[in-house]
Amino acid sequence: SGLQQQDAQEYLRLLVGELCEDAALGDRVRSCYEGRAENFLEATDDEAERLGERPAKIREEAFLDVSLDVEAEDGTVEGALQRYLEPEILDGENRWASPAGRCAARKG
């Protein structure tokens, strides 16, 4: 393959990805660098009352890094993590097409 220009984050992703594929190192590298996150979609309280149920969808995913916007608002890692963890509200044109029908939802 030819030469590619990468920033530090892209390089780390490639390096860790390649190391994870190595039979001898993969488990050790994953135990150091891989995390797991639970992502969810659930109807808002008002929508659950309207529908008579609270449709929800939960999925666990592996990750190697988290991209944070530290420069926004207060400029701290703690603030960036808090914003990253805040659920997004899906409403209006962006409503969730749940098994119970389209509804406003929290996504996180």
Side-chain angles (χ1 to χ4, degrees), residues 18-28 30:
E18 289 293 320
L19 291 172
C20 284
E21 290 180 15
D22 183 280
L25 294 173
D27 289 340
R28 180 170 284 160
R30 270 190 285 285

Side-chain angles (χ1 to χ4, degrees), residues 17-107:
E18 289 293 320
L19 291 172
C20 284
E21 290 180 15
D22 183 280
L25 294 173
D27 289 340
R28 180 170 284 160
V29 171
R30 270 190 285 285
S31 72
C32 290
Y33 291 100
E34 185 178 81
R36 305 213 49 88
E38 186 174 272
N39 297 316
F40 68 90
L41 270 170
E42 73 174 359
T44 61
D45 294 340
D46 292 341
E47 292 293 308
E49 187 174 318
R50 180 182 67 81
L51 294 169
E53 63 178 293
R54 183 182 302 275
K57 180 179 174 182
I58 298 172
R59 181 180 62 214
E60 188 175 289
E61 295 180 333
F63 66 90
L64 295 174
D65 62 9
V66 176
S67 296
L68 300 175
D69 184 7
V70 178
E71 295 179 7
E73 295 181 32
D74 63 1
T76 67
V77 172
E78 292 82 5
L81 278 169
Q82 185 65 38
R83 287 186 298 281
Y84 177 80
L85 295 172
E86 287 176 2
E88 175 185 355
I89 302 297
L90 305 178
D91 60 1
E93 293 289 320
N94 200 24
R95 293 164 63 95
W96 174 36
S98 78
R102 293 189 64 77
C103 62
R106 284 184 290 278
K107 177 182 176 185

